[in-house]
Amino acid sequence: MADHVDLVLEQWAAQRPDLDVSPMAVFGRLSRLKRVVDAELGRTFAAHGLDRASFDVLATLRRSAPPHRLTPTELMRAGMVTSGAISQRLDRLEGRGLVVRTPNEEDGRGVRVSLTDEGRELIDRALPEHLATERRLLGPLSDEKRDRFVETLRELLEELEGPVGPVGPVGAACCHNSGRTGGACCAV
């Protein structure tokens, strides 16, 4: 069976036979897969009044140890939210009553972000549906194929990002190759 990427590869082979376009076989498919997955997950998030970034903030707080409270920096390290987006995201979530920011007892200048009861109830309702959507999207793969796919992705990410060290109590991890914490290297 052929897919759209096969057609693209054939076209490049005809037009530029001097180039090895085989990397496009991987990245073209990853790009197309990301679009499909993002659209499906987006529908699931929207059914709960969320978008991907809001879901990620709530999920990151929910999976952290009780009392489910993190600093904005810890949220960035443990989640998939960028530093530029965290403040806006927190403003919106706080405005909806899903999180609350309180002064950080350990650092008078900072704040801690906590789930409200409403925020916890919302993420607890959305998470099972999110997982069901992911399971449905992976449905065409046997367990064995899925496990091989996971291992292949893990190997590639370890090479590109470096291995991630132990996860601490708030979800922050350290990238051994760089010695840094946080950033894309440690996003979950």
Side-chain angles (χ1 to χ4, degrees), residues 135 138 141-151:
R135 270 189 206 86
L138 291 171
L141 299 179
S142 68
D143 289 346
E144 182 182 323
K145 284 183 179 179
R146 187 185 66 205
D147 291 346
R148 283 196 320 259
F149 187 48
V150 167
E151 189 55 35

Side-chain angles (χ1 to χ4, degrees), residues 32-45 52 129-142 146 149:
R32 292 178 69 82
L33 183 61
K34 182 180 181 335
R35 279 197 303 260
V36 169
V37 169
D38 285 348
E40 291 294 318
L41 293 178
R43 282 190 273 281
T44 300
F45 299 143
R52 181 174 200 88
E129 191 174 333
H130 169 71
L131 292 170
T133 301
E134 289 183 334
R135 270 189 206 86
R136 181 177 50 79
L137 290 168
L138 291 171
L141 299 179
S142 68
R146 187 185 66 205
F149 187 48

Side-chain angles (χ1 to χ4, degrees), residues 155-174:
E155 288 173 16
L156 183 58
L157 283 171
E158 282 180 358
E159 286 297 319
L160 297 176
E161 294 180 339
V164 176
V167 175
V170 295
C174 177

Side-chain angles (χ1 to χ4, degrees), residues 33-181:
L33 183 61
K34 182 180 181 335
R35 279 197 303 260
V36 169
V37 169
D38 285 348
E40 291 294 318
L41 293 178
R43 282 190 273 281
T44 300
F45 299 143
H48 295 278
L50 298 169
D51 58 20
R52 181 174 200 88
S54 296
F55 176 88
D56 189 55
V57 168
L58 296 176
T60 300
L61 286 166
R62 181 64 174 100
R63 73 175 189 261
S64 69
H68 310 295
R69 184 179 334 152
L70 301 171
T71 68
T73 300
E74 290 167 339
L75 273 169
M76 288 183 309
R77 287 181 181 154
M80 294 174 19
V81 180
T82 64
S83 59
I86 193 71
S87 192
Q88 295 173 24
R89 187 67 47 205
L90 292 177
D91 288 345
R92 285 189 213 131
L93 291 171
E94 191 170 36
R96 291 180 58 192
L98 301 174
V99 300
V100 63
R101 288 183 268 202
T102 56
N104 185 342
E105 308 84 35
E106 298 167 15
D107 175 5
R109 300 169 302 189
V111 298
R112 289 201 178 266
V113 181
S114 304
L115 279 174
T116 62
D117 289 341
E118 185 179 344
R120 183 178 175 153
E121 290 168 10
L122 177 58
I123 195 62
D124 283 351
R125 281 192 315 271
L127 184 59
E129 191 174 333
H130 169 71
L131 292 170
T133 301
E134 289 183 334
R135 270 189 206 86
R136 181 177 50 79
L137 290 168
L138 291 171
L141 299 179
S142 68
D143 289 346
E144 182 182 323
K145 284 183 179 179
R146 187 185 66 205
D147 291 346
R148 283 196 320 259
F149 187 48
V150 167
E151 189 55 35
T152 299
L153 292 172
R154 179 184 296 116
E155 288 173 16
L156 183 58
L157 283 171
E158 282 180 358
E159 286 297 319
L160 297 176
E161 294 180 339
V164 176
V167 175
V170 295
C174 177
C175 300
H176 294 299
N177 284 354
S178 65
R180 294 177 291 134
T181 57

